[in-house]
Amino acid sequence: MHTPAPRRTLATTLLPALLTALLAALLFAVLTPAPARAADGDVTWTVRTASNSYGEDRSSFRHGVNPGGEVEDAMVVANRGRTDLTLAVYAADGYATEKGQLDLLTRGEKSTGVGTWLKPGRDTVKIAPGRTAEIPFTVRVPDNATPGDYVGGILTSLRQPGDTEGIAVDRRLGIRVQLRVSGALKPTLAVEDLHVDYHGTANPFGRGDATVTYTLHNTGNALLSGTQDVTLTGPFGWTSTDAGKIAAPPELLPGEKWQVRVPVHGVTPVFRLTAEATVTPAVTGAAGSATSLEPVHATVSGWAVPWPLLLLLALVAAAAVTAYLLIRRNRARRRTREDARVQEAVAQALRDREDQSA
């Protein structure tokens, strides 16, 4: 199974020239080849797939191959600048970035799949202005290769001095290479670390927002994408709130993970919420087709306490209790005064009777 590469982008990296390091400012064409331009504007080149028995105007290289088998193909490089152009040529493994885009390992990073199996016909190529060069390459898959999908790329690279003294710039332009090694295909996707958090509103009778987070983990050996749906329900299914349309995850290589964060609006706080995430994986074939699988479900519960409403009810209850106590106190005071008047009247009557008897 393909092991995900370290999470490094093809963005520019800066290192002192005395340490012989590399600054990568990468322009990597995945779908539609586009020109890469140097800082001085005089160096421009493009890359595209060669027209052969596999087709014309292909956006990328896609091949099915058996363990121990090999595939031959070619990339065409065109010098659009005004000076001779010398480029390095090599291959690298691919991975999904945090933004969900395909990226490739830098030349100094270790590849274990496509970047190791793909061998260009030459390591460098020199092209005159306005001319093109076809670079053949061979992909040799090991006999013990695990069946499944592998993604990488074949790249052209130009190292130039940067604007800052002591800094070098490595500009790269390449094309995606996707391989499907034949054998038992086991596409599986897991929904992991599902959480739901409720964010209330100051309005005691209003609805709040919730955030559902989870991780998609490609635990199989096929390249996967899919569709997602998130629903929140209250106890006994009293209320139900759908998150609406959720962006599809990127194509995940076997072993890769993707963090998902879904906001859900208009959620009624009913003390306890149950979040259900439903993901329908889709296998992207070597020929570009997609096959949907059985949906994967995951649920989790979380608190959604209507604190403003509870505070309002507490204030109303406190006011009611206070009013009741005041009423009781007033009644007690009136009863005490009435008893005192009765006792005084009785005492006065007794005094009057004693005076008459005397």
Side-chain angles (χ1 to χ4, degrees):
M1 182 180 298
H2 175 74
T3 301
R7 300 289 174 168
R8 303 181 187 175
T9 65
L10 292 181
T12 303
T13 51
L14 301 177
L15 290 174
L18 293 177
L19 298 178
T20 319
L22 201 58
L23 173 121
L26 309 174
L27 298 172
F28 176 59
V30 176
L31 296 179
T32 304
R37 300 180 182 276
D40 59 10
D42 292 333
V43 179
T44 304
W45 78 95
T46 60
V47 294
R48 61 177 175 82
T49 59
S51 298
N52 49 35
S53 60
Y54 295 114
E56 299 180 1
D57 298 326
R58 294 172 290 164
S59 61
S60 62
F61 299 105
R62 293 175 179 262
H63 295 290
V65 60
N66 296 322
E70 65 178 50
V71 174
E72 294 183 354
D73 210 328
M75 175 176 65
V76 177
V77 184
N79 183 356
R80 307 297 184 185
R82 294 173 290 181
T83 60
D84 288 344
L85 181 63
T86 301
L87 301 171
V89 183
Y90 62 97
D93 284 355
Y95 65 94
T97 68
E98 294 180 354
K99 295 183 179 180
Q101 299 173 340
L102 175 70
D103 215 334
L104 297 178
L105 299 180
T106 59
R107 193 171 190 178
E109 296 176 297
K110 184 178 180 180
S111 293
T112 59
V114 173
T116 300
W117 303 342
L118 192 154
K119 302 298 182 183
R122 53 183 122 171
D123 295 331
T124 60
V125 59
K126 185 175 182 180
I127 311 171
R131 304 299 296 272
T132 63
E134 184 171 295
I135 303 175
F137 62 84
T138 302
V139 180
R140 293 185 176 89
V141 178
D143 295 333
N144 61 349
T146 302
D149 290 335
Y150 300 81
V151 176
I154 179 171
L155 300 115
T156 54
S157 171
L158 175 66
R159 187 181 182 189
Q160 292 181 305
D163 295 333
T164 304
E165 184 177 357
I167 297 299
V169 177
D170 186 37
R171 302 190 177 279
R172 307 197 301 174
L173 187 63
I175 301 177
R176 171 181 174 139
V177 178
Q178 180 174 328
L179 302 178
R180 172 161 292 177
V181 178
S182 61
L185 200 63
K186 299 177 181 178
T188 55
L189 186 70
V191 179
E192 302 173 343
D193 301 325
L194 180 63
H195 295 281
V196 57
D197 295 304
Y198 176 75
H199 316 287
T201 173
N203 182 354
F205 305 102
R207 298 179 178 182
D209 297 329
T211 301
V212 179
T213 57
Y214 53 91
T215 299
L216 296 179
H217 185 188
N218 185 347
T219 55
N221 62 355
L223 194 65
L224 293 177
S225 183
T227 58
Q228 305 176 90
D229 182 70
V230 170
T231 303
L232 297 179
T233 56
F236 311 106
W238 286 341
T239 62
S240 179
T241 307
D242 190 87
K245 185 176 181 180
I246 304 173
E251 289 183 321
L252 296 179
L253 288 168
E256 285 196 320
K257 295 183 178 181
W258 177 254
Q259 303 293 327
V260 180
R261 184 177 184 275
V262 181
V264 186
H265 306 292
V267 179
T268 302
V270 286
F271 292 94
R272 198 68 173 165
L273 289 174
T274 297
E276 180 179 18
T278 302
V279 182
T280 304
V283 179
T284 302
S289 59
T291 304
S292 295
L293 306 175
E294 289 296 319
V296 178
H297 303 275
T299 59
V300 72
S301 295
W303 292 105
V305 181
W307 293 113
L309 179 60
L310 293 181
L311 178 60
L312 177 61
L313 294 177
L315 292 175
V316 171
V321 171
T322 301
Y324 173 73
L325 294 176
L326 288 175
I327 292 173
R328 285 193 60 182
R329 187 176 66 177
N330 291 335
R331 287 178 178 176
R333 287 179 177 177
R334 287 196 299 270
R335 188 178 301 111
T336 300
R337 288 195 297 268
E338 185 64 23
D339 290 344
R341 284 195 296 271
V342 171
Q343 292 175 1
E344 179 61 26
V346 171
Q348 184 62 41
L350 292 175
R351 287 194 296 271
D352 292 343
R353 182 178 297 179
E354 290 176 355
D355 290 343
Q356 291 175 359
S357 298

Short mmCIF file of all heavy atoms in Angstrom, two decimals, residues 97-142:
data_model
loop_
_atom_site.label_atom_id
_atom_site.label_comp_id
_atom_site.label_asym_id
_atom_site.label_seq_id
_atom_site.Cartn_x
_atom_site.Cartn_y
_atom_site.Cartn_z
N THR A 97 -2.27 18.04 -0.54
CA THR A 97 -1.91 19.10 0.40
C THR A 97 -3.06 19.38 1.35
O THR A 97 -4.15 18.84 1.22
CB THR A 97 -1.55 20.38 -0.35
OG1 THR A 97 -2.74 20.91 -0.98
CG2 THR A 97 -0.51 20.11 -1.43
N GLU A 98 -2.83 20.26 2.31
CA GLU A 98 -3.87 20.64 3.25
C GLU A 98 -5.03 21.35 2.56
O GLU A 98 -6.13 21.42 3.09
CB GLU A 98 -3.29 21.54 4.35
CG GLU A 98 -2.29 20.82 5.24
CD GLU A 98 -1.73 21.72 6.32
OE1 GLU A 98 -2.05 22.93 6.29
OE2 GLU A 98 -1.00 21.23 7.19
N LYS A 99 -4.79 21.89 1.36
CA LYS A 99 -5.84 22.54 0.59
C LYS A 99 -6.51 21.58 -0.38
O LYS A 99 -7.37 21.98 -1.17
CB LYS A 99 -5.27 23.74 -0.16
CG LYS A 99 -4.77 24.86 0.74
CD LYS A 99 -4.28 26.04 -0.08
CE LYS A 99 -3.81 27.17 0.83
NZ LYS A 99 -3.33 28.35 0.04
N GLY A 100 -6.12 20.32 -0.33
CA GLY A 100 -6.77 19.33 -1.16
C GLY A 100 -6.26 19.27 -2.59
O GLY A 100 -6.92 18.71 -3.46
N GLN A 101 -5.08 19.81 -2.84
CA GLN A 101 -4.51 19.79 -4.18
C GLN A 101 -3.37 18.78 -4.26
O GLN A 101 -2.68 18.52 -3.27
CB GLN A 101 -4.00 21.18 -4.57
CG GLN A 101 -5.09 22.25 -4.58
CD GLN A 101 -4.54 23.63 -4.80
OE1 GLN A 101 -3.35 23.87 -4.58
NE2 GLN A 101 -5.39 24.55 -5.23
N LEU A 102 -3.18 18.22 -5.44
CA LEU A 102 -2.06 17.30 -5.63
C LEU A 102 -0.76 18.07 -5.61
O LEU A 102 -0.62 19.11 -6.24
CB LEU A 102 -2.20 16.55 -6.96
CG LEU A 102 -1.01 15.65 -7.29
CD1 LEU A 102 -0.97 14.45 -6.36
CD2 LEU A 102 -1.05 15.20 -8.74
N ASP A 103 0.20 17.56 -4.88
CA ASP A 103 1.53 18.15 -4.84
C ASP A 103 2.53 17.02 -4.97
O ASP A 103 2.18 15.83 -4.84
CB ASP A 103 1.74 18.92 -3.54
CG ASP A 103 2.61 20.15 -3.76
OD1 ASP A 103 3.40 20.14 -4.71
OD2 ASP A 103 2.49 21.11 -2.98
N LEU A 104 3.78 17.36 -5.24
CA LEU A 104 4.83 16.36 -5.44
C LEU A 104 5.98 16.61 -4.48
O LEU A 104 6.28 17.76 -4.12
CB LEU A 104 5.35 16.41 -6.87
CG LEU A 104 4.35 16.06 -7.97
CD1 LEU A 104 5.00 16.20 -9.34
CD2 LEU A 104 3.80 14.66 -7.78
N LEU A 105 6.62 15.54 -4.08
CA LEU A 105 7.81 15.67 -3.25
C LEU A 105 8.90 16.42 -4.00
O LEU A 105 8.98 16.35 -5.23
CB LEU A 105 8.33 14.29 -2.85
CG LEU A 105 7.39 13.38 -2.05
CD1 LEU A 105 8.09 12.06 -1.74
CD2 LEU A 105 6.93 14.06 -0.78
N THR A 106 9.72 17.12 -3.24
CA THR A 106 10.87 17.77 -3.86
C THR A 106 11.92 16.72 -4.20
O THR A 106 11.86 15.57 -3.77
CB THR A 106 11.46 18.82 -2.91
OG1 THR A 106 11.86 18.18 -1.69
CG2 THR A 106 10.43 19.90 -2.59
N ARG A 107 12.90 17.14 -4.98
CA ARG A 107 13.87 16.17 -5.51
C ARG A 107 14.66 15.50 -4.40
O ARG A 107 15.06 14.34 -4.50
CB ARG A 107 14.80 16.87 -6.49
CG ARG A 107 15.63 15.91 -7.31
CD ARG A 107 16.37 16.60 -8.42
NE ARG A 107 16.98 15.66 -9.34
CZ ARG A 107 17.65 16.02 -10.43
NH1 ARG A 107 17.78 17.31 -10.73
NH2 ARG A 107 18.18 15.10 -11.21
N GLY A 108 14.89 16.21 -3.29
CA GLY A 108 15.68 15.64 -2.21
C GLY A 108 14.90 14.72 -1.29
O GLY A 108 15.49 14.06 -0.42
N GLU A 109 13.58 14.64 -1.45
CA GLU A 109 12.77 13.78 -0.60
C GLU A 109 12.64 12.39 -1.20
O GLU A 109 12.62 12.23 -2.43
CB GLU A 109 11.39 14.41 -0.39
CG GLU A 109 11.45 15.73 0.36
CD GLU A 109 10.08 16.37 0.47
OE1 GLU A 109 9.50 16.71 -0.57
OE2 GLU A 109 9.60 16.52 1.61
N LYS A 110 12.50 11.41 -0.34
CA LYS A 110 12.49 10.01 -0.78
C LYS A 110 11.11 9.60 -1.28
O LYS A 110 10.12 9.73 -0.58
CB LYS A 110 12.92 9.10 0.36
CG LYS A 110 13.03 7.64 -0.05
CD LYS A 110 13.51 6.77 1.10
CE LYS A 110 13.61 5.31 0.68
NZ LYS A 110 14.08 4.45 1.80
N SER A 111 11.06 9.07 -2.47
CA SER A 111 9.84 8.51 -3.04
C SER A 111 9.85 6.99 -2.86
O SER A 111 10.91 6.36 -2.80
CB SER A 111 9.72 8.85 -4.52
OG SER A 111 9.54 10.24 -4.72
N THR A 112 8.64 6.40 -2.76
CA THR A 112 8.54 4.95 -2.61
C THR A 112 7.67 4.31 -3.68
O THR A 112 7.60 3.09 -3.76
CB THR A 112 7.95 4.61 -1.23
OG1 THR A 112 6.65 5.22 -1.11
CG2 THR A 112 8.85 5.11 -0.12
N GLY A 113 6.99 5.12 -4.50
CA GLY A 113 6.10 4.59 -5.52
C GLY A 113 6.49 5.06 -6.90
O GLY A 113 7.54 4.69 -7.43
N VAL A 114 5.63 5.90 -7.50
CA VAL A 114 5.85 6.38 -8.86
C VAL A 114 7.22 7.04 -9.00
O VAL A 114 7.92 6.86 -10.01
CB VAL A 114 4.74 7.36 -9.27
CG1 VAL A 114 5.04 7.99 -10.62
CG2 VAL A 114 3.39 6.65 -9.30
N GLY A 115 7.61 7.81 -7.98
CA GLY A 115 8.89 8.51 -8.06
C GLY A 115 10.08 7.59 -8.15
O GLY A 115 11.15 7.98 -8.62
N THR A 116 9.91 6.33 -7.69
CA THR A 116 10.99 5.34 -7.78
C THR A 116 10.87 4.48 -9.02
O THR A 116 11.88 4.10 -9.64
CB THR A 116 10.97 4.45 -6.52
OG1 THR A 116 11.15 5.26 -5.36
CG2 THR A 116 12.07 3.40 -6.58
N TRP A 117 9.64 4.18 -9.40
CA TRP A 117 9.43 3.26 -10.53
C TRP A 117 9.61 3.94 -11.89
O TRP A 117 9.93 3.28 -12.87
CB TRP A 117 8.02 2.69 -10.45
CG TRP A 117 7.71 1.98 -9.17
CD1 TRP A 117 8.61 1.51 -8.26
CD2 TRP A 117 6.42 1.67 -8.65
NE1 TRP A 117 7.97 0.93 -7.20
CE2 TRP A 117 6.62 1.00 -7.41
CE3 TRP A 117 5.12 1.87 -9.10
CZ2 TRP A 117 5.55 0.56 -6.63
CZ3 TRP A 117 4.06 1.42 -8.34
CH2 TRP A 117 4.28 0.77 -7.12
N LEU A 118 9.37 5.24 -11.97
CA LEU A 118 9.44 5.95 -13.25
C LEU A 118 10.86 6.42 -13.52
O LEU A 118 11.45 7.13 -12.71
CB LEU A 118 8.47 7.14 -13.24
CG LEU A 118 8.22 7.83 -14.58
CD1 LEU A 118 6.84 8.51 -14.57
CD2 LEU A 118 9.28 8.88 -14.90
N LYS A 119 11.39 6.01 -14.67
CA LYS A 119 12.74 6.40 -15.06
C LYS A 119 12.69 7.17 -16.38
O LYS A 119 12.37 6.60 -17.43
CB LYS A 119 13.63 5.16 -15.22
CG LYS A 119 13.74 4.30 -13.98
CD LYS A 119 14.36 5.06 -12.81
CE LYS A 119 14.50 4.16 -11.59
NZ LYS A 119 15.04 4.91 -10.42
N PRO A 120 13.02 8.47 -16.37
CA PRO A 120 13.07 9.22 -17.63
C PRO A 120 14.20 8.71 -18.53
O PRO A 120 15.20 8.17 -18.05
CB PRO A 120 13.34 10.67 -17.18
CG PRO A 120 12.98 10.69 -15.72
CD PRO A 120 13.27 9.32 -15.21
N GLY A 121 13.99 8.90 -19.83
CA GLY A 121 15.02 8.48 -20.77
C GLY A 121 16.30 9.28 -20.65
O GLY A 121 17.36 8.82 -21.09
N ARG A 122 16.23 10.45 -20.04
CA ARG A 122 17.42 11.26 -19.80
C ARG A 122 17.20 12.10 -18.55
O ARG A 122 16.08 12.46 -18.21
CB ARG A 122 17.73 12.15 -21.00
CG ARG A 122 16.58 12.98 -21.47
CD ARG A 122 16.94 13.78 -22.71
NE ARG A 122 16.08 13.49 -23.83
CZ ARG A 122 16.08 14.19 -24.95
NH1 ARG A 122 16.93 15.18 -25.12
NH2 ARG A 122 15.26 13.87 -25.95
N ASP A 123 18.29 12.44 -17.90
CA ASP A 123 18.22 13.22 -16.66
C ASP A 123 18.16 14.71 -16.91
O ASP A 123 17.70 15.48 -16.07
CB ASP A 123 19.41 12.90 -15.75
CG ASP A 123 19.40 11.46 -15.28
OD1 ASP A 123 18.29 10.90 -15.15
OD2 ASP A 123 20.49 10.90 -15.05
N THR A 124 18.67 15.14 -18.07
CA THR A 124 18.63 16.55 -18.45
C THR A 124 18.26 16.65 -19.92
O THR A 124 18.46 15.70 -20.69
CB THR A 124 19.99 17.25 -18.22
OG1 THR A 124 20.99 16.60 -19.01
CG2 THR A 124 20.36 17.21 -16.74
N VAL A 125 17.76 17.82 -20.32
CA VAL A 125 17.42 18.05 -21.70
C VAL A 125 17.77 19.51 -22.04
O VAL A 125 17.52 20.41 -21.24
CB VAL A 125 15.92 17.78 -21.97
CG1 VAL A 125 15.03 18.67 -21.11
CG2 VAL A 125 15.60 17.95 -23.44
N LYS A 126 18.40 19.70 -23.21
CA LYS A 126 18.72 21.05 -23.68
C LYS A 126 17.90 21.32 -24.93
O LYS A 126 17.90 20.54 -25.88
CB LYS A 126 20.21 21.17 -24.00
CG LYS A 126 20.63 22.58 -24.39
CD LYS A 126 22.14 22.69 -24.56
CE LYS A 126 22.56 24.11 -24.91
NZ LYS A 126 24.02 24.24 -25.08
N ILE A 127 17.18 22.46 -24.91
CA ILE A 127 16.24 22.78 -25.99
C ILE A 127 16.54 24.19 -26.50
O ILE A 127 16.66 25.14 -25.72
CB ILE A 127 14.79 22.72 -25.50
CG1 ILE A 127 14.54 21.41 -24.73
CG2 ILE A 127 13.82 22.84 -26.65
CD1 ILE A 127 13.21 21.36 -24.05
N ALA A 128 16.65 24.32 -27.81
CA ALA A 128 16.87 25.62 -28.43
C ALA A 128 15.58 26.43 -28.41
O ALA A 128 14.48 25.88 -28.29
CB ALA A 128 17.37 25.44 -29.86
N PRO A 129 15.68 27.77 -28.53
CA PRO A 129 14.48 28.61 -28.53
C PRO A 129 13.50 28.20 -29.63
O PRO A 129 13.90 27.92 -30.77
CB PRO A 129 15.03 30.02 -28.78
CG PRO A 129 16.45 29.96 -28.34
CD PRO A 129 16.91 28.57 -28.63
N GLY A 130 12.24 28.09 -29.29
CA GLY A 130 11.21 27.75 -30.26
C GLY A 130 11.14 26.29 -30.63
O GLY A 130 10.32 25.91 -31.47
N ARG A 131 11.96 25.44 -30.03
CA ARG A 131 11.98 24.03 -30.37
C ARG A 131 11.36 23.20 -29.25
O ARG A 131 11.15 23.67 -28.13
CB ARG A 131 13.42 23.56 -30.62
CG ARG A 131 14.16 24.34 -31.69
CD ARG A 131 13.48 24.22 -33.06
NE ARG A 131 13.49 22.86 -33.54
CZ ARG A 131 14.47 22.32 -34.25
NH1 ARG A 131 15.53 23.07 -34.58
NH2 ARG A 131 14.40 21.08 -34.68
N THR A 132 11.07 21.92 -29.56
CA THR A 132 10.52 21.00 -28.58
C THR A 132 11.40 19.77 -28.48
O THR A 132 12.20 19.48 -29.40
CB THR A 132 9.09 20.56 -28.96
OG1 THR A 132 9.13 19.85 -30.20
CG2 THR A 132 8.17 21.76 -29.06
N ALA A 133 11.26 19.06 -27.38
CA ALA A 133 12.00 17.81 -27.18
C ALA A 133 11.06 16.80 -26.54
O ALA A 133 10.32 17.13 -25.61
CB ALA A 133 13.22 18.04 -26.31
N GLU A 134 11.09 15.57 -27.06
CA GLU A 134 10.27 14.50 -26.47
C GLU A 134 11.14 13.69 -25.53
O GLU A 134 12.22 13.23 -25.91
CB GLU A 134 9.69 13.61 -27.57
CG GLU A 134 8.76 12.54 -27.02
CD GLU A 134 8.00 11.80 -28.12
OE1 GLU A 134 7.18 12.45 -28.80
OE2 GLU A 134 8.26 10.60 -28.30
N ILE A 135 10.64 13.54 -24.31
CA ILE A 135 11.38 12.81 -23.28
C ILE A 135 10.65 11.51 -22.99
O ILE A 135 9.60 11.51 -22.33
CB ILE A 135 11.52 13.65 -21.99
CG1 ILE A 135 12.21 14.97 -22.31
CG2 ILE A 135 12.28 12.87 -20.93
CD1 ILE A 135 12.30 15.91 -21.14
N PRO A 136 11.14 10.40 -23.47
CA PRO A 136 10.49 9.12 -23.16
C PRO A 136 10.77 8.72 -21.71
O PRO A 136 11.77 9.12 -21.12
CB PRO A 136 11.15 8.16 -24.14
CG PRO A 136 12.49 8.75 -24.40
CD PRO A 136 12.33 10.24 -24.32
N PHE A 137 9.88 7.92 -21.16
CA PHE A 137 10.12 7.40 -19.82
C PHE A 137 9.51 6.01 -19.72
O PHE A 137 8.61 5.64 -20.48
CB PHE A 137 9.56 8.32 -18.74
CG PHE A 137 8.07 8.52 -18.77
CD1 PHE A 137 7.20 7.61 -18.16
CD2 PHE A 137 7.52 9.62 -19.41
CE1 PHE A 137 5.84 7.80 -18.18
CE2 PHE A 137 6.14 9.82 -19.43
CZ PHE A 137 5.30 8.90 -18.82
N THR A 138 10.02 5.24 -18.79
CA THR A 138 9.55 3.89 -18.55
C THR A 138 9.16 3.74 -17.09
O THR A 138 9.88 4.19 -16.20
CB THR A 138 10.64 2.85 -18.89
OG1 THR A 138 11.04 3.01 -20.26
CG2 THR A 138 10.13 1.44 -18.67
N VAL A 139 8.02 3.12 -16.88
CA VAL A 139 7.57 2.80 -15.52
C VAL A 139 7.70 1.30 -15.33
O VAL A 139 7.04 0.52 -16.02
CB VAL A 139 6.11 3.24 -15.29
CG1 VAL A 139 5.68 2.89 -13.87
CG2 VAL A 139 5.95 4.73 -15.55
N ARG A 140 8.57 0.89 -14.42
CA ARG A 140 8.76 -0.53 -14.11
C ARG A 140 8.25 -0.79 -12.70
O ARG A 140 8.81 -0.28 -11.72
CB ARG A 140 10.23 -0.92 -14.23
CG ARG A 140 10.77 -0.85 -15.66
CD ARG A 140 12.20 -1.35 -15.74
NE ARG A 140 12.68 -1.37 -17.12
CZ ARG A 140 13.28 -0.35 -17.70
NH1 ARG A 140 13.49 0.78 -17.02
NH2 ARG A 140 13.69 -0.44 -18.95
N VAL A 141 7.19 -1.58 -12.61
CA VAL A 141 6.57 -1.87 -11.32
C VAL A 141 7.21 -3.12 -10.73
O VAL A 141 7.35 -4.14 -11.42
CB VAL A 141 5.05 -2.08 -11.49
CG1 VAL A 141 4.40 -2.42 -10.17
CG2 VAL A 141 4.43 -0.81 -12.09
N PRO A 142 7.61 -3.09 -9.48
CA PRO A 142 8.23 -4.27 -8.86
C PRO A 142 7.28 -5.47 -8.82
O PRO A 142 6.05 -5.31 -8.82
CB PRO A 142 8.56 -3.80 -7.43
CG PRO A 142 8.57 -2.31 -7.52
CD PRO A 142 7.58 -1.93 -8.57
#
